[in-house]
Each structure stands twice: as structure tokens, then as C-alpha cells.
Amino acid sequence: MPVFRRHRRNLVAVGLGARPFCNVGRLAVRRMAIKSRKARASKERPARGRSSRPKPSRPARKSNRRVSNSGRAAKQAVQRDPAERRARNRTLLMLSVLAMINIYVFVLRDEGAMLGLSRANSAVIGGAHSGPLAPLADPVPDACGGDPVRIFSGLSDLLPVSTTLVGGNTLRLALMDRGIADEEIDRIEAAVRSKVDLGLLGGSGAPVAIAMDRYGGVRALEIELAEGHLLQACRSGEGFTVRNIQHPLRSDVVVVTLTLGGDVSLANAVEQAGEEPELARVVAQQLGHDVDFHTESRPGDKVAIVIEKRWLGRSFHRYGQVLALRYEGAAGRVAYYRYKPQGGEEAFFDRKGRPRNRELLRSPVGWFPLSADARAMLVPTLEVVEGRLGAIYRLPEGAPIVAVADARVADSGEDLERGRWVDLELADGTVARYHHMMRTIGAMEAGSEVVQGQLLGLAGHSGKTPSNRLRFELWRTTDGVSKTVDPMLLTTRGANRPGRDGPEIAAGVRDQFVQDVAPRRRALETALR
């Protein structure tokens, strides 16, 4: 029987003549034979001479580019320096904060946001605004209340404006001087003409009080024709309701004590004392040289005031003259007394006979009622624009802007940069500039005179400004060069505080002054104990 064995993937039969059993095996045997013949032939041939030339040497292998151990250690030491790591972390933190601020200002913020470029902001009139700095003095459709005497009852949120019909000043001219439109004046005259001859009002010296919205619309008006005789008009729909009131006049002198609560609201303190809302504005105006009740008052501050209360018949009408007042609180302790020295004008003096008034008020913003949430927003900040230093007062639209001193209107106008603006020239040559107002009250023509505390206009956002605010600047000229000075000069105390304005009581009559005001001084001290 034949025997098979595996050889190079072919099976070869051993025995029976060792004949391949298939074609594949036959081919394999043939290849093996050829290879064996070639091998024998190569052994029998003489060896050919080989070249003695040496093979080219392979270039030496370059070492890997690795940092030496010493360099690596130095680099790690530098990277692990704690001071450098802290500085780098602070830089990254600052960049992150700036990025977040930019995202808020230009993307998320309502005022001036990039998201607002795709839509137009709608103008809302009539109190639909919300927030701590909501607009003031919204128009009231029906301003006629139910009080038989007080035509301004319930209108404390409107702007109080006053004038006097002296000289050749007629009712129309007086209203025009307060920035009231001709169409509004026509409606008022048409209503008043049914009760009184308008020709008799001109030059009569009658005081006129007005409650006005921020757009210049008159909501209520009162003309005091004589003691106890009033002509009143209030807005009712598109017209005015007019009434002629005449009652016996009675005047009382009272001492009122106010204590600011945790909300630091002067209006709430007046309400808690059982008084009418307009008393808060009276107190703020009388103490405007010493304390700004929007930003400088604190919880627990106290005010005592000796004031007249005027009555028509059995109904309270309004507050009269302030005879004395005293303030004790975070901004200091002051007391003033109304007095008319011999040969001088009636004014307020402190206990030493020095005048109350100072060259500058503590703020160019008049008092207005505000919420406790808005109080922190009213603190002024400094802003520098192209080298010009100014104070920024963030305010609600319609907030009253007043003259900080007796002055002359240097110029006024409107442009794209400053919006509506007014420049006042003070007695010492200093120029006070007011920018971004919503509107001015009256013409504000160059050369006209204004008195300290007079209403100049209302806060707004005219010109280049992202929000409702007032920019206030003080300019002084030195050696022919005009430049801005620190506007916070208004709020300084001590030696740098603005000086007193007005004559002191003469030394020869000072003892008489002290004796005359002693009862009022004792009344104030007793009220604050």
C-alpha cells in the first residue's frame, strides 16, 4: 500500500515508484528539481570578485528633541509660581466680569440693548410704567375731588407751579410764562370767564397756584382773589369745572413733629403725623441748603416745624408761613427762625443771627415723592465725557429740576448731544449747565432772571443718554480758560461748603433777636424731646 507524506503543500506518494498522484504534485516536483539544479550550478562556479568599496555609512541618528531635565524643572518652577498664578487668575476673573457686564448692557438690558434694535419701543402715557423710577405727574382725566375747599386734594403727585399777577401780568401771560400751551390757556380762560372778568385779574397781585402734569397740561388751578375768596378750576374730561368760594378766613399756628421711619420717606412721616401731603414738600424746600432728603436723610431723623394752618370756615385750606423749624439727624443739627430785623428784609436766621440761605442748594433736583426702592438710585455719580466732569442724577421722567442759585439765564437750546439744556450764570461767574431735560418750564430766554429753587424744567432722556437723567456741570474761568470743576461741591461740608448768602443780623440788635425768637426755640426743643 502506498505511503503519502506532505511536502510543500503537495502530497507525494512514496512507494509504487514515487509517482505523483495529481497534476499539482507534478508541478511541485518540477519546481523542486529546477531549484536543486540551480543550487548545484552555483556551487560549482567560481566566486565572482566583489567590490572592495565600503558601504556608505548611515548617518548617526539624531537624538529626540527633548527638554533637558534642568530646563524642564526651571519651566515647571516658573509655571508653578504662586504670585504669577494668582495674577493670572485675577486677570481671568476680571475679563469674565467685564464680559458679563457687556452681555448685560448690550444684550439683556432693556435700555439701549442690542435686542431692542429690531423693535421700536412703545411710548406709554398715563401711568402704565412700572418700577421704582416710574414717571411722575401722569395726566389725570378727572381732577375734581370731593373736598369742598381743597381743589388740590389727591393731586400731590402732580407738579406744583405758582406765579403772581403783578404789574402787567395777565392770566394768559402768567400761564404762558409757566410753559402752558395756548390751546390749554384758551380752555382755562373760557371756563374762568363765566365767573370773573379776566380784565380785572391782570395786575391785581393775586397769587395763582397750578397743579400740572409733566406734559404741561393743567389739572387744577386756584386764584386767591382776596382773603377767604378763591376762584378754583379743575379738569373734568376735556373742559374745566369752575367754582367761586368765599368763606371766613381763620389762621392757626401749630407745631408739627416728623420722624423718619425705616423707609426714610418724608411723605410717609407727614402722613403718620396726620398732616396733608404738601407739608413734605414745604419741609424739603425749607431745609434744601442743609440736607437732601432724597439721599442724605436716614431712619430716625427728626424735624419739628412751627407753621401756620389756614382755614376757610370749618375746612382746612392750605399751609401758610413757616415761622421756625429744626432738624436733627444724620446730616447735622440746624434750626432757623423767620425774622425781620429793623431796616432789613424778612428772612430765616439761625440762633446766632446768621442767614439760612447759602450760595448753592445741595441738589439741582427738587423734592418729589418716591418709593423706598428708588431711594438708592438717586445718589449722584461722577461722569467724564471728553474731559468734561459732570454729575449724573438718575431720575424718573418728569422729576423737577431747579436752579441751585439766584442766576441769569446765559443760554438755552436743544441739540443731539445734550438734548434740551439750560446754562445759568451765577453771581461769581460760575456757569451751571443742565442737560437731557424732557422740557423746560417757560421760555428760558437768555438774560432772564431766575431765583434759587425755581423750577427750570423736568428730567428726561433727550440727547445722547440711555435713560432718564440729569447731567449737571459747573464751569469756571481761570486766566481766560474755562473748565469744569467738581460738581459735588454742592454736597461738601466743613470749610469747603458754599458760603452763606445774605446779611447777618447786626450785633447791636442781636440780643433783641435772641429774645424775640426764644418762644419758638423752646417750642422746637420741646417737640423733639
Side-chain angles (χ1 to χ4, degrees), residues 334-416:
V334 294
Y336 299 110
Y337 310 92
R338 182 185 290 272
Y339 190 75
K340 187 179 184 309
Q342 295 181 358
E345 296 182 358
E346 188 176 57
F348 281 92
F349 301 90
D350 64 8
R351 186 176 180 180
K352 297 181 179 180
R354 297 175 298 184
R356 175 201 63 182
N357 292 1
R358 292 185 176 269
E359 296 173 351
L360 299 173
L361 292 176
R362 294 195 68 78
S363 174
V365 182
W367 186 88
F368 58 91
L370 75 161
S371 64
D373 296 336
R375 176 180 169 82
M377 300 182 182
L378 269 61
V379 178
T381 58
L382 289 176
E383 179 186 67
V384 179
V385 177
E386 297 179 353
R388 296 179 286 108
L389 182 64
I392 299 300
Y393 294 81
R394 187 179 178 186
L395 300 168
E397 183 179 85
I401 307 301
V402 300
V404 295
D406 296 340
R408 179 184 65 86
V409 177
D411 201 0
S412 64
E414 182 176 1
D415 56 43
L416 296 177

Side-chain angles (χ1 to χ4, degrees), residues 275-297:
E275 299 295 331
E276 299 298 333
E278 57 263 36
L279 181 61
R281 183 173 283 106
V282 172
V283 171
Q285 290 175 348
Q286 294 294 333
L287 293 172
H289 301 87
D290 296 278
V291 56
D292 180 5
F293 279 93
H294 286 152
T295 61
E296 295 181 324
S297 57

Side-chain angles (χ1 to χ4, degrees), residues 168-306:
N169 210 12
T170 64
L171 180 61
R172 173 172 287 273
L173 294 177
L175 296 179
M176 289 177 60
D177 189 56
R178 290 298 176 261
I180 299 172
D182 291 339
E183 296 80 4
E184 189 81 345
I185 298 176
D186 292 339
R187 286 190 286 266
I188 295 173
E189 286 190 335
V192 172
R193 191 177 287 113
S194 63
K195 299 293 183 179
V196 66
D197 185 356
L198 294 177
L200 299 178
L201 293 179
S204 63
V208 180
I210 306 167
M212 186 172 62
D213 61 44
R214 65 177 181 274
Y215 302 105
V218 174
R219 299 294 146 177
L221 176 143
E222 180 180 272
I223 305 174
E224 191 167 348
L225 301 174
E227 292 287 347
H229 187 190
L230 305 176
L231 182 67
Q232 298 177 338
C234 58
R235 175 62 69 93
S236 179
E238 294 297 325
F240 287 86
T241 300
V242 181
R243 62 188 185 186
N244 197 333
I245 299 176
Q246 192 167 4
H247 291 290
L249 175 65
R250 177 170 59 91
S251 180
D252 296 335
V253 177
V254 297
V255 181
V256 180
T257 304
L258 308 175
T259 303
L260 301 187
D263 57 0
V264 205
S265 172
L266 184 59
N268 290 345
V270 169
E271 182 180 359
Q272 292 173 1
E275 299 295 331
E276 299 298 333
E278 57 263 36
L279 181 61
R281 183 173 283 106
V282 172
V283 171
Q285 290 175 348
Q286 294 294 333
L287 293 172
H289 301 87
D290 296 278
V291 56
D292 180 5
F293 279 93
H294 286 152
T295 61
E296 295 181 324
S297 57
R298 297 293 183 268
D301 289 3
K302 294 183 178 181
V303 178
I305 182 171
V306 181

Side-chain angles (χ1 to χ4, degrees), residues 63-80:
S63 60
N64 292 337
R65 287 187 171 182
R66 295 181 179 177
V67 180
S68 63
N69 293 334
S70 60
R72 182 181 302 172
K75 186 175 181 179
Q76 291 178 353
V78 172
Q79 292 179 349
R80 296 174 182 175

